[in-house]
Amino acid sequence: HHQTNTQALDGKLAILDGQHRVGMMTILDNHKNNQKENLNLDQILVEVFPQHPSSNSTHAKDIFTEINKAEPVKLVDMPGVAKVTDRRIINEAATALQESFPDMFKPSQRCRAPHLNIDNLRDAIFASGCLKRHSIKSQKALVDWIMEQNRILGEKFESGDGKDTLKNVNAMALKKAKNFDFYLGLDLAWLYL
């Protein structure tokens, strides 16, 4: 159990994050009393951010905003999940693509097609297993393979062969992909070819 509280200058605590956990603990405590289960709800981890005299009146709001804008850790970045060499290859290739096509990358992990987010791309490359499936052993080999997939996607969208895929693509997204000759963000199925 974990919740985040703020402490005002007068010492009063307020729940900042984890309100749903308090509700759940209340239900579990009532259930425990009815079922005679051995749940220890008296010890929970509480993170407290005290307001310092020099901090402004938006202390709680600032902390809440900071907590909720945090992006989740990607699988590729989890310790012990990806091989160090694979992560290096993926990171370098994704960075090279972002540098080559800066207009097609967005900082938000919730960006829409035809854009990509570098962290989502890195994670998708890792999760797809394409390095192993295609025996990719270097950043250059990965970039070459990805650019070949981009070429194939471009031909598919230009020729109309991908009618099933085309009907799921926004016209404005396709127009931008064509303008920048970067189709990878329209459909991530290319990772599994």
Side-chain angles (χ1 to χ4, degrees), residues 172-188:
M172 291 301 292
L174 181 57
K175 181 179 179 185
K176 185 167 186 179
K178 286 179 180 181
N179 286 345
F180 288 94
D181 195 27
F182 189 84
Y183 299 87
L184 301 171
L186 294 174
D187 180 3
L188 292 180

Side-chain angles (χ1 to χ4, degrees), residues 1-6 13-17 22 25 41-49:
H1 309 295
H2 179 264
Q3 81 180 44
T4 304
N5 294 344
T6 60
L13 294 174
I15 297 173
L16 188 62
D17 190 36
V22 172
M25 287 185 289
L41 299 176
D42 294 328
Q43 293 184 358
I44 60 169
L45 176 63
V46 177
E47 194 172 12
V48 178
F49 291 91

Side-chain angles (χ1 to χ4, degrees), residues 54-88:
S54 62
S55 63
N56 61 29
S57 62
T58 62
H59 173 71
K61 178 183 168 211
D62 295 343
I63 292 171
F64 180 82
T65 301
E66 189 65 31
I67 289 169
N68 286 294
K69 74 178 181 184
E71 300 285 357
V73 176
K74 297 296 184 184
L75 188 62
V76 69
D77 295 322
M78 297 287 284
V81 175
K83 290 186 212 171
V84 173
T85 53
D86 288 350
R87 185 174 26 249
R88 181 184 46 75

Side-chain angles (χ1 to χ4, degrees), residues 7-21:
Q7 183 177 26
L9 291 173
D10 63 6
K12 289 183 181 176
L13 294 174
I15 297 173
L16 188 62
D17 190 36
Q19 298 88 334
H20 59 284
R21 291 182 193 96

